[in-house]
PDB file of all heavy atoms in Angstrom:
ATOM      1  N   MET A  13       5.503  27.672  16.234  1.00 91.00           N
ATOM      2  CA  MET A  13       6.927  28.015  16.605  1.00 91.00           C
ATOM      3  C   MET A  13       7.059  29.629  16.565  1.00 91.00           C
ATOM      4  O   MET A  13       6.127  30.332  15.974  1.00 91.00           O
ATOM      5  CB  MET A  13       7.968  27.425  15.534  1.00 91.00           C
ATOM      6  CG  MET A  13       7.559  27.763  14.023  1.00 91.00           C
ATOM      7  SD  MET A  13       8.418  26.817  12.808  1.00 91.00           S
ATOM      8  CE  MET A  13      10.117  27.361  13.141  1.00 91.00           C
ATOM      9  N   GLN A  14       8.062  30.087  17.182  1.00 93.00           N
ATOM     10  CA  GLN A  14       8.378  31.567  17.328  1.00 93.00           C
ATOM     11  C   GLN A  14       9.001  32.007  15.937  1.00 93.00           C
ATOM     12  O   GLN A  14       9.780  31.284  15.410  1.00 93.00           O
ATOM     13  CB  GLN A  14       9.265  31.763  18.510  1.00 93.00           C
ATOM     14  CG  GLN A  14       8.603  31.408  19.861  1.00 93.00           C
ATOM     15  CD  GLN A  14       7.659  32.450  20.201  1.00 93.00           C
ATOM     16  OE1 GLN A  14       7.595  33.538  19.876  1.00 93.00           O
ATOM     17  NE2 GLN A  14       6.713  32.075  21.134  1.00 93.00           N
ATOM     18  N   GLU A  15       8.864  33.113  15.646  1.00 95.00           N
ATOM     19  CA  GLU A  15       9.526  33.810  14.661  1.00 95.00           C
ATOM     20  C   GLU A  15      11.041  33.793  14.965  1.00 95.00           C
ATOM     21  O   GLU A  15      11.375  33.904  16.044  1.00 95.00           O
ATOM     22  CB  GLU A  15       9.079  35.227  14.443  1.00 95.00           C
ATOM     23  CG  GLU A  15       7.886  35.396  13.525  1.00 95.00           C
ATOM     24  CD  GLU A  15       7.631  36.806  13.197  1.00 95.00           C
ATOM     25  OE1 GLU A  15       7.915  37.858  14.016  1.00 95.00           O
ATOM     26  OE2 GLU A  15       7.161  37.200  12.078  1.00 95.00           O
ATOM     27  N   GLY A  16      11.860  33.534  13.867  1.00 96.00           N
ATOM     28  CA  GLY A  16      13.310  33.534  14.089  1.00 96.00           C
ATOM     29  C   GLY A  16      13.853  32.178  14.346  1.00 96.00           C
ATOM     30  O   GLY A  16      15.090  31.961  14.166  1.00 96.00           O
ATOM     31  N   LYS A  17      13.023  31.227  14.562  1.00 95.00           N
ATOM     32  CA  LYS A  17      13.445  29.842  14.886  1.00 95.00           C
ATOM     33  C   LYS A  17      13.630  29.109  13.627  1.00 95.00           C
ATOM     34  O   LYS A  17      12.907  29.342  12.632  1.00 95.00           O
ATOM     35  CB  LYS A  17      12.613  29.215  15.981  1.00 95.00           C
ATOM     36  CG  LYS A  17      12.447  29.876  17.246  1.00 95.00           C
ATOM     37  CD  LYS A  17      13.668  29.705  17.984  1.00 95.00           C
ATOM     38  CE  LYS A  17      13.489  30.306  19.527  1.00 95.00           C
ATOM     39  NZ  LYS A  17      14.684  30.301  20.202  1.00 95.00           N
ATOM     40  N   ASN A  18      14.327  27.964  13.754  1.00 96.00           N
ATOM     41  CA  ASN A  18      14.438  26.954  12.557  1.00 96.00           C
ATOM     42  C   ASN A  18      13.728  25.772  12.809  1.00 96.00           C
ATOM     43  O   ASN A  18      13.679  25.355  14.207  1.00 96.00           O
ATOM     44  CB  ASN A  18      15.974  26.642  12.336  1.00 96.00           C
ATOM     45  CG  ASN A  18      16.777  27.807  12.131  1.00 96.00           C
ATOM     46  OD1 ASN A  18      16.406  28.765  11.715  1.00 96.00           O
ATOM     47  ND2 ASN A  18      18.040  27.698  12.518  1.00 96.00           N
ATOM     48  N   TYR A  19      13.088  25.147  11.932  1.00 94.00           N
ATOM     49  CA  TYR A  19      12.595  23.858  12.129  1.00 94.00           C
ATOM     50  C   TYR A  19      12.550  23.058  10.856  1.00 94.00           C
ATOM     51  O   TYR A  19      12.661  23.634   9.746  1.00 94.00           O
ATOM     52  CB  TYR A  19      11.167  23.933  12.763  1.00 94.00           C
ATOM     53  CG  TYR A  19      10.717  22.712  13.564  1.00 94.00           C
ATOM     54  CD1 TYR A  19      11.175  22.684  14.865  1.00 94.00           C
ATOM     55  CD2 TYR A  19       9.885  21.750  13.089  1.00 94.00           C
ATOM     56  CE1 TYR A  19      10.802  21.587  15.719  1.00 94.00           C
ATOM     57  CE2 TYR A  19       9.639  20.711  13.902  1.00 94.00           C
ATOM     58  CZ  TYR A  19      10.065  20.672  15.146  1.00 94.00           C
ATOM     59  OH  TYR A  19       9.674  19.680  15.980  1.00 94.00           O
ATOM     60  N   ARG A  60      13.310  31.302   2.716  1.00 96.00           N
ATOM     61  CA  ARG A  60      13.770  30.603   4.012  1.00 96.00           C
ATOM     62  C   ARG A  60      13.378  29.270   4.018  1.00 96.00           C
ATOM     63  O   ARG A  60      13.353  28.448   5.044  1.00 96.00           O
ATOM     64  CB  ARG A  60      12.925  31.363   5.102  1.00 96.00           C
ATOM     65  CG  ARG A  60      13.276  32.855   5.324  1.00 96.00           C
ATOM     66  CD  ARG A  60      12.380  33.486   6.221  1.00 96.00           C
ATOM     67  NE  ARG A  60      12.517  34.878   6.194  1.00 96.00           N
ATOM     68  CZ  ARG A  60      13.422  35.589   6.946  1.00 96.00           C
ATOM     69  NH1 ARG A  60      14.276  34.888   7.749  1.00 96.00           N
ATOM     70  NH2 ARG A  60      13.666  36.882   6.859  1.00 96.00           N
ATOM     71  N   HIS A  75      12.949  22.336   5.331  1.00 97.00           N
ATOM     72  CA  HIS A  75      13.538  23.141   6.351  1.00 97.00           C
ATOM     73  C   HIS A  75      13.177  24.489   6.432  1.00 97.00           C
ATOM     74  O   HIS A  75      13.258  25.165   5.215  1.00 97.00           O
ATOM     75  CB  HIS A  75      14.993  22.736   6.373  1.00 97.00           C
ATOM     76  CG  HIS A  75      15.786  23.406   7.459  1.00 97.00           C
ATOM     77  ND1 HIS A  75      15.880  22.802   8.839  1.00 97.00           N
ATOM     78  CD2 HIS A  75      16.572  24.613   7.789  1.00 97.00           C
ATOM     79  CE1 HIS A  75      16.456  23.628   9.623  1.00 97.00           C
ATOM     80  NE2 HIS A  75      16.950  24.626   8.955  1.00 97.00           N
ATOM     81  N   ILE A  76      12.754  25.095   7.538  1.00 96.00           N
ATOM     82  CA  ILE A  76      12.482  26.482   7.709  1.00 96.00           C
ATOM     83  C   ILE A  76      13.545  27.235   8.459  1.00 96.00           C
ATOM     84  O   ILE A  76      13.889  26.691   9.652  1.00 96.00           O
ATOM     85  CB  ILE A  76      11.133  26.517   8.288  1.00 96.00           C
ATOM     86  CG1 ILE A  76      10.063  25.839   7.541  1.00 96.00           C
ATOM     87  CG2 ILE A  76      10.750  28.160   8.394  1.00 96.00           C
ATOM     88  CD1 ILE A  76       9.061  25.212   8.514  1.00 96.00           C
ATOM     89  N   THR A  77      14.176  28.129   7.934  1.00 96.00           N
ATOM     90  CA  THR A  77      15.140  28.868   8.480  1.00 96.00           C
ATOM     91  C   THR A  77      14.652  30.326   8.908  1.00 96.00           C
ATOM     92  O   THR A  77      14.147  31.032   8.164  1.00 96.00           O
ATOM     93  CB  THR A  77      16.363  29.076   7.598  1.00 96.00           C
ATOM     94  OG1 THR A  77      16.787  27.856   7.077  1.00 96.00           O
ATOM     95  CG2 THR A  77      17.530  29.809   8.213  1.00 96.00           C
ATOM     96  N   ALA A  78      14.930  30.569  10.167  1.00 95.00           N
ATOM     97  CA  ALA A  78      14.587  31.981  10.716  1.00 95.00           C
ATOM     98  C   ALA A  78      13.140  32.227  10.304  1.00 95.00           C
ATOM     99  O   ALA A  78      12.816  33.299   9.525  1.00 95.00           O
ATOM    100  CB  ALA A  78      15.521  33.031  10.272  1.00 95.00           C
ATOM    101  N   ALA A  79      12.162  31.455  10.822  1.00 94.00           N
ATOM    102  CA  ALA A  79      10.725  31.640  10.493  1.00 94.00           C
ATOM    103  C   ALA A  79      10.137  33.082  10.516  1.00 94.00           C
ATOM    104  O   ALA A  79      10.493  33.687  11.521  1.00 94.00           O
ATOM    105  CB  ALA A  79       9.926  30.654  11.192  1.00 94.00           C
ATOM    106  N   VAL A  80       9.301  33.379   9.625  1.00 95.00           N
ATOM    107  CA  VAL A  80       8.556  34.588   9.636  1.00 95.00           C
ATOM    108  C   VAL A  80       7.090  34.326   9.657  1.00 95.00           C
ATOM    109  O   VAL A  80       6.698  33.247   9.090  1.00 95.00           O
ATOM    110  CB  VAL A  80       8.969  35.656   8.608  1.00 95.00           C
ATOM    111  CG1 VAL A  80      10.324  36.053   8.844  1.00 95.00           C
ATOM    112  CG2 VAL A  80       8.847  34.990   7.276  1.00 95.00           C
ATOM    113  N   LEU A  83       5.108  32.699   6.656  1.00 96.00           N
ATOM    114  CA  LEU A  83       5.124  31.321   6.248  1.00 96.00           C
ATOM    115  C   LEU A  83       4.150  30.485   6.880  1.00 96.00           C
ATOM    116  O   LEU A  83       4.087  29.210   6.709  1.00 96.00           O
ATOM    117  CB  LEU A  83       6.616  30.834   6.725  1.00 96.00           C
ATOM    118  CG  LEU A  83       7.790  31.320   5.758  1.00 96.00           C
ATOM    119  CD1 LEU A  83       9.069  30.766   6.331  1.00 96.00           C
ATOM    120  CD2 LEU A  83       7.504  30.946   4.306  1.00 96.00           C
ATOM    121  N   ILE A 106       3.265  30.325  12.949  1.00 95.00           N
ATOM    122  CA  ILE A 106       4.388  31.011  13.357  1.00 95.00           C
ATOM    123  C   ILE A 106       3.843  32.179  14.168  1.00 95.00           C
ATOM    124  O   ILE A 106       3.252  33.099  13.606  1.00 95.00           O
ATOM    125  CB  ILE A 106       5.297  31.352  12.080  1.00 95.00           C
ATOM    126  CG1 ILE A 106       5.732  30.165  11.530  1.00 95.00           C
ATOM    127  CG2 ILE A 106       6.484  32.278  12.604  1.00 95.00           C
ATOM    128  CD1 ILE A 106       6.354  30.325  10.165  1.00 95.00           C
ATOM    129  N   LEU A 107       4.478  32.189  15.432  1.00 92.00           N
ATOM    130  CA  LEU A 107       4.015  33.232  16.351  1.00 92.00           C
ATOM    131  C   LEU A 107       4.822  34.424  16.222  1.00 92.00           C
ATOM    132  O   LEU A 107       6.011  34.277  16.203  1.00 92.00           O
ATOM    133  CB  LEU A 107       4.038  32.708  17.774  1.00 92.00           C
ATOM    134  CG  LEU A 107       3.160  31.494  18.008  1.00 92.00           C
ATOM    135  CD1 LEU A 107       3.409  30.792  19.335  1.00 92.00           C
ATOM    136  CD2 LEU A 107       1.670  31.846  17.903  1.00 92.00           C
TER     137      LEU A 107
END
Side-chain angles (χ1 to χ4, degrees):
Chain A
M13 56 192 292
Q14 296 283 341
E15 275 192 326
K17 299 289 187 183
N18 303 333
Y19 209 81
R60 299 172 189 274
H75 186 73
I76 303 143
T77 301
V80 293
L83 291 178
I106 299 170
L107 304 168

